[in-house]
Structure formats: C-alpha cells, structure tokens
Amino acid sequence: MGLLSLAIWTPIIFGVVLLALGRDEQARSVRWIALIGAVVSFLVTLPLYGGFELGTSAMQFVEKAAWIDRFDINYHLGVDGISLWFVLLTAFINVVVIIASWESITTRVNQYMAAFLILSGLMIGVFTAMDGMLFYVFFEATLIPMYLIIGIWGGPKKIYAAFKFFLYTLLGSLLMLIALIFLYVKSNGSFDLATWYSLPLSGTAQTFLFFAFFAAFAVKVPMWPVHTWLPDVHVEAPTGGSAVLAAIMLKLGAYGFLRFSMPIAPDAAREWAWLMIALSLIAVIYVGLVAMVQQDMKKLVAYSSVAHMGFVTLGFFIFNDLGVSGGIVQMIAHGFVSGAMFLCIGVLYDRVHSREIASYGGVVNTMPRFSAFALLFAMANCGLPATAGFVGEWMVILGAIKFNFWIGLAASTALIFGAAYTLWMYKRVYLGPVTNDDVKGLTDINSREFLMLSLLAIAVMFMGIYPKPFTDVMDSSVAGLLKHVAVSKLQ
C-alpha cells in the first residue's frame, strides 16, 4: 500500500474499529484508541513531506489501480505542491480535535470519534484524487460523517442545521456530476484529470463547465451569496465539528477551483474572473461588516471565515503567482487560526454553556493562561505580522495591487475590519473587570487543553515567522498551473 493510500485508509480503518467497540462504558478505551488512530494517521503523512521533490509541478507518490473497468474509473491518487500541505493539515487538525473532544462528548463516544476519523480519511481522499469520479465519491462522502456530527451531537436546532448543510452542498454537487459526465463523454470515456486538462473545448462548453463547478465549489467555500448556511451550521455544530468544518471542509471548495475550474476551463476562468473578484471583495468587505454586529461568538467567527476565504478566491482569480500562492497559504493559515478560534470558544462553552458575548467579561482575571492563547489567535485572525494570518493575506494584497491597485486597496480594508470585529470581541469577553458569577467561578485550562492550544499556537507562530517551507513546496505547481491557464483551450 502506497503512502497516499495509508494516509486515506489508516484513519478510516481506526474509525471502523471504534464503531465496533460499542457502548459508552468503554468510553475511556475508545478515546485512547481514537487518539492513537489520529496520531498514527498524522505520522503516516509526514514521509510525504520528507520525500517530496521540489522544483517540479508533476504529481508525486502516484498510485493507480483499476476500480470500475467498464467506465475506465480508476483508483488514481497523487499529490503536488498545491495539495500536499492539505493532506498534512487534515491529519494534524484531526489530532487536535480528538484531544479537544476528550471530555465534552459523553454519549455515543465511539460513534463521535469514529465519525471524525472517517471524515479525515475521506477529506484526504478529496485532496489526492486524480480521477474525476473518485474525487466526486470522496467529495460527496464527506457530507455523511459531518451531517451525523451536526445532527446527533449539535445544539437545539441541530436537525435544521444538518439538513441545511446537506441540501446546500448536495444541490451544488449535482451540477458538478453533470459536468463530470460531460467531460467523460468529450474525452471518449476517461475520468483522468490529466486527460481533461488537455481537452480542446468550445467557449460555450467551458462556460457551462465553469459554472457547474462553481455551483459545487462556491457553496463549499462558501462564497457570498451562497454562504448563509455556514453561520447556522457553526452555531449548532459541536466544537469539534465547527473546528473541522472551518479548518478543512471549507478548503475542499477552494481546492476544487484550483484542480477543476481553472485548468479544465481556463478561458472561461479568465473571462469570468471579474465576477469571482467582485464576489470575493463583497465577502471580504460586506461580510466583514456583518461580523462586527454579531453577539454570538461562533457566528462572529463563522462570518470571519467567509471574509477570510474571500481572500483565497480573490488570490486565485487575479492569475499571478503572488495571488495564487497567497491564496493557498491563506487556506493553510486559516485552517490553523479558525480551528483555534472555534476551539477557544469551545473551552468557554464547556464551562459556562453560553456562546453569547454578553455572558462574559473579565475572563483574563480568572483564566490568564487561556486568555494569552486566545489573544495570540485573535491577533492571528486580525493578520498581525509574525503570525500565520498575516502571510497569506499580505501575499494576496501584493498580488492584487500588482493586478489592479484599486482591487488591492479594497482588499486591504479587510485587515481593518478583521481587527475591528476580532479585537472588539476579545475586549468584551476577556478584558475589564469580572462582570458575573459565571466568570468569577471559571478555572484556567487544564493540561489537556493546554496541549491542544499549544499545538495550534506553535503552528500559527511557525508559519508566521518562517513560511518558506510552505511556499517552497507550492511554487513549481503554482507556476505550472498559471502557465496552463494562460494557454487557450478553445476548440
């Protein structure tokens, strides 16, 4: 079994084992098996980075085996500089989420832990699939464990949120399926992505494909105006579900633009870039303003995610190396920072059972160690230099100014809005005198929570101070993508 298959199937196998363990009387053993499974799943991804060859845009660690011969559907895997970091990020976040859920989940513990492990393997499958139908299967399969996580362990309106999440993402994906079948027919019976990249397509066909893929990927990002499912889902999802949704699942849509929309329909991508840029700027500016008026911490961070992902799609569709690389870096950084922000909210919720900003005040007086971590992550969310949140946004702004000064200027306002809503939330929740008995009775983070937040803090600081390992891996693949997009595929 190759390294990519190990990365996909190790967490899934551990998840199936957990499902077989049964009752909550075995919860302690279940938690330890889940943690061992998550750590092993992360460790098997590390050789991918160690053995990755820089300076080439070719797919590496390629695995290919026949799956459904009749339709030429293959179990075809590979990673390049665009997808490598997302494999590692997914496995890393899974470890943190298992640690975060150690005490907060007390019912159906084996099913909860299994759902996250299986979800992790499926998401890695999305990032490594090189066969169109295999990608679609993994892409859709990720809905099932997340639907269950929200619907079983979520808040009071969990069923509503789970259905909204499922329907929004499924409806968009049906158009993508039609596009995949169209490409299968046009390529004389192939689901191979490399074959699709070289297809000569008419302008009409490219436009159809671009918007079919847009329907699936824009909802997943989510881009404005199809973002409305995200705040509801975040509010109702358990803490671990929110962390994985923000840190990884939103990236599946942005990744789809890089792997499908841009290389398969390059002419349409360039023609409709103005629309993507406009929608991205609306997300950056308008949704940033919406975040400012939120009274629920989870809703505020959810809208913040929409604004930050607007940077990602903006970077992609200005078609220069700084923008695309910056967008990818922003995706990775957002994975660390947004995951950390939701886990911090989870720490408070486990103690007070409220997400309302008004329920807090003066937390720094009773939880000083935790407040220090929360401040670091808040600053990273603002885009403070020397944190992960700065690197990607700075690269995108530079790329945008290189493309068009006014677009770059408009994008840079996000730094102001991000600082406004994040620091205002921090001030009201953490600073000042203790305002109620709930806050007065808080205890600081324990060793498990300290470990969880430390792992994310190290990642946020390392990426902010030394982003070179991240950009070195992606440089050749980004250059190859831009070179491919620049060549017309018109029939």
PDB file of all heavy atoms in Angstrom, residues 190-202:
ATOM      1  N   SER A 190     -13.039   8.807 -20.505  1.00  0.00           N
ATOM      2  CA  SER A 190     -11.973   8.862 -19.496  1.00  0.00           C
ATOM      3  C   SER A 190     -12.364   9.798 -18.351  1.00  0.00           C
ATOM      4  O   SER A 190     -12.938  10.859 -18.583  1.00  0.00           O
ATOM      5  CB  SER A 190     -10.663   9.350 -20.128  1.00  0.00           C
ATOM      6  OG  SER A 190      -9.668   9.513 -19.146  1.00  0.00           O
ATOM      7  N   PHE A 191     -12.040   9.376 -17.129  1.00  0.00           N
ATOM      8  CA  PHE A 191     -12.222  10.236 -15.961  1.00  0.00           C
ATOM      9  C   PHE A 191     -10.883  10.768 -15.446  1.00  0.00           C
ATOM     10  O   PHE A 191     -10.822  11.345 -14.364  1.00  0.00           O
ATOM     11  CB  PHE A 191     -12.934   9.476 -14.828  1.00  0.00           C
ATOM     12  CG  PHE A 191     -14.422   9.399 -14.996  1.00  0.00           C
ATOM     13  CD1 PHE A 191     -15.026   8.210 -15.393  1.00  0.00           C
ATOM     14  CD2 PHE A 191     -15.225  10.504 -14.764  1.00  0.00           C
ATOM     15  CE1 PHE A 191     -16.406   8.132 -15.544  1.00  0.00           C
ATOM     16  CE2 PHE A 191     -16.600  10.442 -14.920  1.00  0.00           C
ATOM     17  CZ  PHE A 191     -17.197   9.256 -15.314  1.00  0.00           C
ATOM     18  N   ASP A 192      -9.826  10.578 -16.213  1.00  0.00           N
ATOM     19  CA  ASP A 192      -8.497  11.001 -15.798  1.00  0.00           C
ATOM     20  C   ASP A 192      -8.364  12.523 -15.885  1.00  0.00           C
ATOM     21  O   ASP A 192      -8.622  13.121 -16.935  1.00  0.00           O
ATOM     22  CB  ASP A 192      -7.443  10.332 -16.686  1.00  0.00           C
ATOM     23  CG  ASP A 192      -6.041  10.702 -16.279  1.00  0.00           C
ATOM     24  OD1 ASP A 192      -5.668  10.418 -15.130  1.00  0.00           O
ATOM     25  OD2 ASP A 192      -5.322  11.298 -17.108  1.00  0.00           O
ATOM     26  N   LEU A 193      -7.944  13.162 -14.794  1.00  0.00           N
ATOM     27  CA  LEU A 193      -7.866  14.623 -14.775  1.00  0.00           C
ATOM     28  C   LEU A 193      -6.853  15.147 -15.778  1.00  0.00           C
ATOM     29  O   LEU A 193      -7.084  16.171 -16.438  1.00  0.00           O
ATOM     30  CB  LEU A 193      -7.501  15.120 -13.370  1.00  0.00           C
ATOM     31  CG  LEU A 193      -8.539  14.930 -12.262  1.00  0.00           C
ATOM     32  CD1 LEU A 193      -8.144  15.705 -11.021  1.00  0.00           C
ATOM     33  CD2 LEU A 193      -9.927  15.367 -12.707  1.00  0.00           C
ATOM     34  N   ALA A 194      -5.719  14.474 -15.913  1.00  0.00           N
ATOM     35  CA  ALA A 194      -4.694  14.935 -16.855  1.00  0.00           C
ATOM     36  C   ALA A 194      -5.224  14.944 -18.285  1.00  0.00           C
ATOM     37  O   ALA A 194      -4.898  15.834 -19.079  1.00  0.00           O
ATOM     38  CB  ALA A 194      -3.448  14.052 -16.747  1.00  0.00           C
ATOM     39  N   THR A 195      -6.046  13.963 -18.621  1.00  0.00           N
ATOM     40  CA  THR A 195      -6.673  13.918 -19.956  1.00  0.00           C
ATOM     41  C   THR A 195      -7.627  15.092 -20.122  1.00  0.00           C
ATOM     42  O   THR A 195      -7.659  15.744 -21.181  1.00  0.00           O
ATOM     43  CB  THR A 195      -7.431  12.587 -20.143  1.00  0.00           C
ATOM     44  OG1 THR A 195      -6.525  11.500 -19.981  1.00  0.00           O
ATOM     45  CG2 THR A 195      -8.081  12.518 -21.519  1.00  0.00           C
ATOM     46  N   TRP A 196      -8.390  15.398 -19.097  1.00  0.00           N
ATOM     47  CA  TRP A 196      -9.332  16.520 -19.164  1.00  0.00           C
ATOM     48  C   TRP A 196      -8.609  17.851 -19.320  1.00  0.00           C
ATOM     49  O   TRP A 196      -9.111  18.757 -19.985  1.00  0.00           O
ATOM     50  CB  TRP A 196     -10.196  16.547 -17.909  1.00  0.00           C
ATOM     51  CG  TRP A 196     -11.201  15.428 -17.842  1.00  0.00           C
ATOM     52  CD1 TRP A 196     -11.450  14.489 -18.809  1.00  0.00           C
ATOM     53  CD2 TRP A 196     -12.082  15.123 -16.763  1.00  0.00           C
ATOM     54  NE1 TRP A 196     -12.429  13.626 -18.408  1.00  0.00           N
ATOM     55  CE2 TRP A 196     -12.840  13.979 -17.150  1.00  0.00           C
ATOM     56  CE3 TRP A 196     -12.316  15.674 -15.520  1.00  0.00           C
ATOM     57  CZ2 TRP A 196     -13.813  13.408 -16.318  1.00  0.00           C
ATOM     58  CZ3 TRP A 196     -13.278  15.120 -14.682  1.00  0.00           C
ATOM     59  CH2 TRP A 196     -14.019  13.996 -15.086  1.00  0.00           C
ATOM     60  N   TYR A 197      -7.443  17.974 -18.714  1.00  0.00           N
ATOM     61  CA  TYR A 197      -6.703  19.241 -18.799  1.00  0.00           C
ATOM     62  C   TYR A 197      -6.303  19.575 -20.236  1.00  0.00           C
ATOM     63  O   TYR A 197      -6.146  20.748 -20.587  1.00  0.00           O
ATOM     64  CB  TYR A 197      -5.432  19.192 -17.937  1.00  0.00           C
ATOM     65  CG  TYR A 197      -5.682  19.134 -16.439  1.00  0.00           C
ATOM     66  CD1 TYR A 197      -4.659  18.808 -15.563  1.00  0.00           C
ATOM     67  CD2 TYR A 197      -6.935  19.408 -15.903  1.00  0.00           C
ATOM     68  CE1 TYR A 197      -4.870  18.749 -14.192  1.00  0.00           C
ATOM     69  CE2 TYR A 197      -7.163  19.341 -14.535  1.00  0.00           C
ATOM     70  CZ  TYR A 197      -6.126  19.012 -13.685  1.00  0.00           C
ATOM     71  OH  TYR A 197      -6.340  18.950 -12.331  1.00  0.00           O
ATOM     72  N   SER A 198      -6.126  18.566 -21.051  1.00  0.00           N
ATOM     73  CA  SER A 198      -5.656  18.802 -22.426  1.00  0.00           C
ATOM     74  C   SER A 198      -6.790  18.836 -23.449  1.00  0.00           C
ATOM     75  O   SER A 198      -6.547  18.974 -24.644  1.00  0.00           O
ATOM     76  CB  SER A 198      -4.651  17.708 -22.820  1.00  0.00           C
ATOM     77  OG  SER A 198      -5.244  16.428 -22.745  1.00  0.00           O
ATOM     78  N   LEU A 199      -8.040  18.731 -22.983  1.00  0.00           N
ATOM     79  CA  LEU A 199      -9.173  18.725 -23.918  1.00  0.00           C
ATOM     80  C   LEU A 199      -9.366  20.096 -24.566  1.00  0.00           C
ATOM     81  O   LEU A 199      -9.409  21.112 -23.872  1.00  0.00           O
ATOM     82  CB  LEU A 199     -10.466  18.357 -23.189  1.00  0.00           C
ATOM     83  CG  LEU A 199     -10.732  16.892 -22.855  1.00  0.00           C
ATOM     84  CD1 LEU A 199     -12.057  16.783 -22.095  1.00  0.00           C
ATOM     85  CD2 LEU A 199     -10.793  16.044 -24.122  1.00  0.00           C
ATOM     86  N   PRO A 200      -9.493  20.152 -25.894  1.00  0.00           N
ATOM     87  CA  PRO A 200      -9.903  21.412 -26.537  1.00  0.00           C
ATOM     88  C   PRO A 200     -11.421  21.556 -26.396  1.00  0.00           C
ATOM     89  O   PRO A 200     -12.176  20.686 -26.820  1.00  0.00           O
ATOM     90  CB  PRO A 200      -9.490  21.207 -28.000  1.00  0.00           C
ATOM     91  CG  PRO A 200      -9.505  19.728 -28.205  1.00  0.00           C
ATOM     92  CD  PRO A 200      -9.202  19.085 -26.881  1.00  0.00           C
ATOM     93  N   LEU A 201     -11.878  22.630 -25.772  1.00  0.00           N
ATOM     94  CA  LEU A 201     -13.308  22.819 -25.513  1.00  0.00           C
ATOM     95  C   LEU A 201     -13.766  24.154 -26.076  1.00  0.00           C
ATOM     96  O   LEU A 201     -13.016  25.135 -26.058  1.00  0.00           O
ATOM     97  CB  LEU A 201     -13.578  22.775 -24.003  1.00  0.00           C
ATOM     98  CG  LEU A 201     -13.266  21.453 -23.291  1.00  0.00           C
ATOM     99  CD1 LEU A 201     -13.249  21.659 -21.783  1.00  0.00           C
ATOM    100  CD2 LEU A 201     -14.283  20.381 -23.667  1.00  0.00           C
ATOM    101  N   SER A 202     -14.992  24.193 -26.551  1.00  0.00           N
ATOM    102  CA  SER A 202     -15.559  25.439 -27.069  1.00  0.00           C
ATOM    103  C   SER A 202     -15.792  26.415 -25.919  1.00  0.00           C
ATOM    104  O   SER A 202     -15.840  26.038 -24.743  1.00  0.00           O
ATOM    105  CB  SER A 202     -16.870  25.163 -27.788  1.00  0.00           C
ATOM    106  OG  SER A 202     -17.859  24.741 -26.863  1.00  0.00           O
TER     107      SER A 202
END
